[in-house]
Amino acid sequence: MGVNFHEKKLVKKALESFYGLGPQLAARIMAKYTIHPLARLGSVPPKTITALTTELSTMTIENDARRIVQDNIKRLRDMGTYRGRRHAMGLPVRGQRTRTQIETAKKLNTLERGGTYSKI
């Protein structure tokens, strides 16, 4: 995968560090290869690590998952849906309160492009 982890790192946390791979999916992968939930990378045999690498290479994680999310947002914006317009304006998308407390949504609905922040 091109990512090197420290031997003392937990396998579960190493799997969860990939974008698009959450706690439940990490637990399923660990159960598939019979890895203890508290196992560290140094204690896992190399054969299992290569099996994990091949499993991860078939999944849509990291840049592929990010691209899918961005394509979905772009599709909503192009159709002119309510959600797409909210994304474009940098406002909360899922019905949150906007009279007060929208600073977090304004931060989350922006993308970093070339060192500057702009709306999605």
Side-chain angles (χ1 to χ4, degrees):
M1 293 298 301
V3 181
N4 293 324
F5 294 109
H6 198 270
E7 289 185 2
K8 293 184 179 181
K9 190 171 182 107
L10 289 172
V11 177
K12 184 173 170 58
K13 292 296 179 185
L15 288 173
E16 289 175 9
S17 68
F18 291 107
Y19 182 86
L21 217 157
Q24 287 188 337
L25 195 53
R28 282 185 188 162
I29 292 171
M30 289 175 63
K32 181 177 179 180
Y33 293 105
T34 61
I35 300 172
H36 191 270
L38 298 177
R40 306 219 177 245
L41 285 173
S43 65
V44 178
K47 188 175 182 180
T48 308
I49 290 179
T50 56
L52 278 173
T53 306
T54 56
E55 175 84 18
L56 291 174
S57 64
T58 61
M59 300 173 70
T60 56
I61 54 174
E62 289 296 327
N63 291 334
D64 296 335
R66 284 190 175 98
R67 191 175 306 111
I68 289 170
V69 170
Q70 290 301 319
D71 289 344
N72 289 340
I73 292 172
K74 187 177 184 314
R75 179 182 50 83
L76 289 172
R77 289 182 64 193
D78 292 342
M79 285 192 305
T81 61
Y82 179 78
R83 283 175 54 203
R85 284 183 283 141
R86 299 295 281 187
H87 271 291
M89 291 187 286
L91 294 170
V93 177
R94 298 184 178 182
Q96 294 93 336
R97 179 183 179 91
T98 57
R99 185 170 179 179
T100 58
Q101 303 171 348
I102 64 166
E103 292 303 315
T104 305
K106 282 186 176 180
K107 291 176 195 170
L108 292 178
N109 289 342
T110 56
L111 265 183
E112 183 179 357
R113 292 188 182 136
T116 61
Y117 287 93
S118 64
K119 304 284 185 238
I120 293 177

